[in-house]
């Protein structure tokens, strides 16, 4: 009897992994190897009841709680927990369709690849999520994840209909609740609104997501890749390329753009890499548009006496295109920053780009600025309709640098921080006529006014959601929603 009770108790509480267990070193690290936690233990959960028990145990033992879904957080919000408990959701990978409701249920530990594969093969639908498909759904969706189909279909939270949430009451009790978009209770609808891009780790632990009427998965995709050798580029060449790309996006980021099926990314690498690159994907019935866009960019660049290249468009099943496009890369140390743009780059920024991408004081072929096409269907939603407010941008930027040796950290941090400050000053890309803040799913602890940069005018509403769902501020990190 005693042994049976022990097994039942373990099943109810999840699997605890403590220091000394051979699994511990892997479970206290995230994808970004800058961060290594030292929690009292990691609790691996398989369902909401185990999460509930893990949260209550942590409350009873006065331990700080952090949550890990896929472990891809750019900062230490998931694993940076010394002496507390990391609640690991990675065993919660279910994806299924509910016949009674017509909703698609996804558990919070599923990776994007789990979601794409199951939804596509079993139901012919998908979500407009990210290209790095090893990312966990939990953090990705709560920050309003985007991906290849976002210009055509919007962001993931545009299809989110309900969430199952483990939160903590003012009486210090963990409880499981479900919040729905169509609830007759206006308070519940407001609490649900907070999960439409309000970010992970703020209000509790979402264990399941339900999506309504997700878009049909494309049958096939078309892809094009271009590259321009750094050895052939001048300051004027790089400026021309960035101007042409930005002007095109300004003209073609409306809701009715014929290019809404295209997502393009301009890879402005440091010149220690061989090339500046452009990769674009298109889904739809006019693949010739992709060739025209690629030709526009290529014709803007000098050939230095060489003949004009032939633009090669690759055609493949959409699921293969998603699989081939995964750009997560290996686990390593990294720093990231972000910005949204409503207009093309100002001339002064073009000089800054050249200076920092060609500086001889810093050599790192993995350092770059990715300039991604944005807008179209994303911008069809009012910025107050969801907690995610960036609904007027034409481009989404990600600055990043990677390294292997932890001893080199300050060298890499100095370059990206100086680059970013030269582009935006102390305030960052503060929302105005040209810029539109930063992406909460690319967290950056260097930001001063992160509340406005991530959430704009939606932040006070999110504070009220915090007050009602997490009045004791149990769920917190360096940039979590603050109590009002």
């Amino acid at each position: 009897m005693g042994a049976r009770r022990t097994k039942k108790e373990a099943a109810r509480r999840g699997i605890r992994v403590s220091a000394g267990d051979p699994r511990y070193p892997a479970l206290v690290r995230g994808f970004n190897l800058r961060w290594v936690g030292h929690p009292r233990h990691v609790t691996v959960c398989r369902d909401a009841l185990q999460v509930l028990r893990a949260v209550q145990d942590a409350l009873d033992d006065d331990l700080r709680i952090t949550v890990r879904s896929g472990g891809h957080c750019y900062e230490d919000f998931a694993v940076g927990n010394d002496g507390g408990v990391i609640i690991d959701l990675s065993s919660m990978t279910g994806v299924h369709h509910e016949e009674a409701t017509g909703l698609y249920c996804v558990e919070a530990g599923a990776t994007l690849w789990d979601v794409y594969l199951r939804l596509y093969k079993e139901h012919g639908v998908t979500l407009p999520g990210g290209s790095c498909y090893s990312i966990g759904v939990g953090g990705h969706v709560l920050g309003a994840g985007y991906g290849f189909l976002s210009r055509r279909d919007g962001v993931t939270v545009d299809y989110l209909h309900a969430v199952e949430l483990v939160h903590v009451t003012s009486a210090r009790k963990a409880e499981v609740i479900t919040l729905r978009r169509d609830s007759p209770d206006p308070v519940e609808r407001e609490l649900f609104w907070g999960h439409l891009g309000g970010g992970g780790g703020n209000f509790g632990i979402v264990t399941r997501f339900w999506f309504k009427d997700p878009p049909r998965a494309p049958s096939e995709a078309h892809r094009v890749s271009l590259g321009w050798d750094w050895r052939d580029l001048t300051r004027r060449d790089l400026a021309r390329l960035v101007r042409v790309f930005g002007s095109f996006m300004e003209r073609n980021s409306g809701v009715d753009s014929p290019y809404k099926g295209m997502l393009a990314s301009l890879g402005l690498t440091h010149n220690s890499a061989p090339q500046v690159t452009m990769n674009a994907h298109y889904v739809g019935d006019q693949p010739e548009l992709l060739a025209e866009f690629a030709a526009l960019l290529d014709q803007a660049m000098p050939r230095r006496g060489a003949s004009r290249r032939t633009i090669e468009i690759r055609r493949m099943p959409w699921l293969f295109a998603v699989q081939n496009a995964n750009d997560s890369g290996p686990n390593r140390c990294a720093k990231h920053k972000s910005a949204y743009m409503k207009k093309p780059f100002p001339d002064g920024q073009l000089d800054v780009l050249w200076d920092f991408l060609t500086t001889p004081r810093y050599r790192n072929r993995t350092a770059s600025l990715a300039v991604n096409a944005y807008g179209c269907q994303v911008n069809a939603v009012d910025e107050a309709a969801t907690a995610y407010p960036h609904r007027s941008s034409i481009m989404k930027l990600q600055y990043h640098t990677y390294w292997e040796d932890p001893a080199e950290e300050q060298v890499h941090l100095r370059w990206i921080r100086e680059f970013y400050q030269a582009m935006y000053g102390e305030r960052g890309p503060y929302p105005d006529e040209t810029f539109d803040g930063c992406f909460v799913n690319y967290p950056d602890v260097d930001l001063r006014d992160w509340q406005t940069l991530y959430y704009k005018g939606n932040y006070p509403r999110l504070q009220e959601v915090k007050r009602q769902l997490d009045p004791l501020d149990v769920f917190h990190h360096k940039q979590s929603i603050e109590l009002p």
Side-chain angles (χ1 to χ4, degrees):
M1 289 292 291
R4 284 199 295 272
R5 280 198 299 268
T6 300
K7 290 180 179 179
K8 287 182 179 180
E9 183 68 12
R12 189 164 64 90
R13 291 180 178 272
I15 300 168
R16 285 191 177 183
V17 178
S18 303
D21 188 300
R23 296 168 292 182
Y24 185 85
L27 297 185
V28 299
R29 285 169 166 82
F31 191 78
N32 186 346
L33 294 183
R34 288 178 67 196
W35 314 122
V36 181
H38 301 88
R40 179 181 294 186
H41 57 262
V42 178
T43 301
V44 181
C45 298
R46 292 190 295 271
D47 57 40
L49 292 180
Q50 289 186 351
V51 173
L52 177 74
R53 186 68 263 168
V55 170
Q56 190 62 58
D57 286 348
L59 292 169
D60 294 343
D61 293 336
D62 201 25
L63 300 179
R64 180 173 174 242
I65 299 167
T66 56
V67 189
R68 171 181 170 144
S69 176
H72 281 256
C73 185
Y74 285 168
E75 297 289 357
D76 67 346
F77 302 165
V79 300
N81 187 342
D82 292 348
V85 55
I86 298 173
I87 297 179
D88 189 306
L89 309 180
S90 58
S91 291
M92 300 173 60
T93 60
V95 179
H96 69 275
H97 180 241
E98 295 182 347
E99 294 292 340
T101 64
L103 301 176
Y104 295 83
C105 180
V106 178
E107 294 184 345
T111 66
L112 291 180
W113 185 242
D114 293 329
V115 175
Y116 299 153
L117 198 63
R118 294 285 299 279
L119 291 183
Y120 180 84
K121 288 189 173 182
E122 297 176 16
H123 309 290
V125 299
T126 191
L127 290 173
S131 60
C132 300
Y133 57 69
S134 56
I135 291 173
V137 168
H140 186 72
V141 171
L142 290 173
Y146 79 106
F148 288 140
L149 298 178
S150 287
R151 280 168 54 90
R152 188 191 79 162
D153 297 319
V155 291
T156 55
V157 294
D158 294 339
Y159 301 89
L160 187 60
H161 188 74
V163 294
E164 179 182 73
L165 176 73
V166 177
H167 79 119
V168 176
T169 69
S170 58
R172 207 171 172 80
K173 294 297 181 183
E175 69 174 11
V176 182
I177 61 174
T178 301
L179 304 173
R180 301 175 61 90
R181 185 188 291 263
D182 62 354
S183 171
D185 181 356
V187 173
E188 182 181 320
R189 292 199 303 271
E190 185 69 5
L191 299 182
F192 173 80
W193 173 89
H195 292 81
L196 297 174
N202 283 315
F203 311 123
I205 303 176
V206 174
T207 50
R208 287 193 289 179
F209 300 86
W210 285 271
F211 298 92
K212 184 177 182 180
D213 299 329
R216 300 295 302 176
S219 174
E220 60 183 19
H222 296 78
R223 178 174 180 171
V224 64
S225 298
L226 300 177
W228 300 274
D229 291 345
W230 261 114
R231 65 188 178 189
D232 296 332
L233 296 180
T234 66
R235 181 186 293 266
R236 181 177 296 179
D237 296 333
L238 187 70
R240 184 186 304 112
L241 176 64
V242 175
R243 281 196 188 101
V244 170
F245 187 92
S247 296
F248 181 91
M249 295 309 158
E250 187 175 34
R251 297 191 306 271
N252 292 283
S253 293
V255 175
D256 297 324
S257 169
Y259 287 89
K260 67 188 303 180
M262 183 186 79
L263 184 78
S265 180
L266 192 60
L268 304 179
T269 59
H270 188 275
N271 74 344
S272 50
Q275 289 187 321
V276 168
T277 62
M278 192 286 296
N279 292 289
H281 291 75
Y282 173 82
V283 296
D285 57 5
Q286 295 179 277
E288 65 273 12
L289 294 176
L290 187 59
E292 293 172 8
F293 168 71
L296 176 70
L297 291 183
D298 199 46
Q299 290 167 10
M301 304 300 285
R303 297 305 296 168
R304 310 301 186 207
S307 59
R308 184 62 57 187
R309 82 175 90 196
T310 300
I311 304 296
E312 180 183 355
I313 305 296
R314 294 183 60 199
R315 175 183 174 183
M316 65 189 75
W318 174 78
L319 191 66
F320 292 1
V322 172
Q323 187 174 29
N324 292 342
N326 181 44
D327 54 1
S328 296
N331 292 53
R332 49 193 166 169
C333 301
K335 176 64 179 177
H336 306 264
K337 293 178 176 289
S338 68
Y340 288 93
M341 301 195 71
K342 297 178 180 178
K343 293 182 178 180
F345 288 85
D347 288 345
Q349 286 194 334
L350 298 178
D351 284 329
V352 173
L353 287 175
W354 176 266
D355 292 341
F356 277 86
L357 295 176
T358 63
T359 176
R361 295 185 295 109
Y362 180 72
R363 308 299 294 172
N364 183 355
R365 63 189 298 153
T366 70
S368 67
L369 167 59
V371 184
N372 298 307
Y374 210 60
C376 294
Q377 188 60 33
V378 176
N379 294 350
V381 178
D382 186 83
E383 66 178 35
T386 61
Y388 175 76
H390 308 289
R391 302 288 190 168
S392 55
S393 300
I394 64 170
M395 292 182 290
K396 183 174 193 150
L397 278 54
Q398 181 174 188
Y399 297 74
H400 43 219
T401 183
Y402 301 90
W403 63 95
E404 303 288 342
D405 185 354
E408 299 176 352
E409 177 169 297
Q410 291 306 313
V411 172
H412 301 284
L413 293 182
R414 184 180 307 114
W415 175 81
I416 196 171
R417 285 169 173 166
E418 291 179 355
F419 186 7
Y420 198 73
Q421 181 165 347
M423 291 289 280
Y424 308 109
E426 292 289 341
R427 297 181 79 192
Y430 204 83
D432 59 16
E433 293 182 354
T434 303
F435 309 114
D436 202 33
C438 302
F439 185 32
V440 69
N441 268 3
Y442 298 162
D444 175 11
V445 296
D446 298 339
L447 297 175
R448 292 170 59 181
D449 187 8
W450 56 266
Q451 298 90 337
T452 300
L453 291 169
Y454 291 154
Y455 302 114
K456 299 172 63 175
N458 287 341
Y459 190 68
R461 283 180 70 182
L462 286 167
Q463 288 186 284
E464 283 301 312
V465 174
K466 175 75 169 180
R467 182 180 64 80
Q468 295 188 63
L469 285 177
D470 187 23
L472 303 180
D473 197 25
V474 170
F475 300 94
H476 63 271
H477 52 71
K478 293 173 184 174
Q479 291 182 333
S480 55
I481 303 295
E482 302 151 310
L483 287 168

